[in-house]
Amino acid sequence: MRGFSLLFLVIAVVMLLMFVVYVISGEADPLIAAGLFVSFLACAAPALYLLKPFESREDLERRREAFRRRREREKAGRNSGDGPGKKS
């Protein structure tokens, strides 16, 4: 999922650069400039939503700790031989 959101972010940056170059280059048609800017927003919104940059440090740490605990439980389950592939 993170790769997909980073792809959206790269496309958004490219659209923003196209907008800036188009506006700076000289006589810019407002309709085309608005289209480029709306395209930038359309790509930036999902990227920001999927990357969740506004998540608090406590929430991020809580998610990491839960992931660590789950991974340790799975590892302990595999080491004890109680895995789903074991037949009685």
Side-chain angles (χ1 to χ4, degrees):
M1 183 64 88
R2 185 158 302 267
F4 190 64
S5 58
L6 289 175
L7 180 64
F8 264 112
L9 188 63
V10 168
I11 294 170
V13 168
V14 168
M15 294 306 297
L16 183 62
L17 287 174
M18 288 175 58
F19 170 75
V20 169
V21 167
Y22 184 74
V23 170
I24 291 176
S25 67
E27 294 183 31
D29 183 19
L31 186 63
I32 295 174
L36 287 171
F37 191 71
V38 167
S39 298
F40 159 71
L41 292 178
C43 292
L48 291 176
Y49 176 72
L50 292 173
L51 288 173
K52 298 181 184 181
F54 305 111
E55 194 171 21
S56 69
R57 278 210 176 284
E58 294 82 24
D59 292 339
L60 184 61
E61 195 60 38
R62 199 173 305 124
R63 268 193 315 123
R64 285 180 181 163
E65 187 60 36
F67 178 75
R68 280 189 208 115
R69 277 188 258 126
R70 188 173 0 148
R71 188 175 53 197
E72 288 172 3
R73 275 197 314 261
E74 290 172 359
K75 191 183 292 185
R78 276 187 261 139
N79 289 340
S80 68
D82 296 338
K86 184 174 181 176
K87 294 182 180 180
S88 299

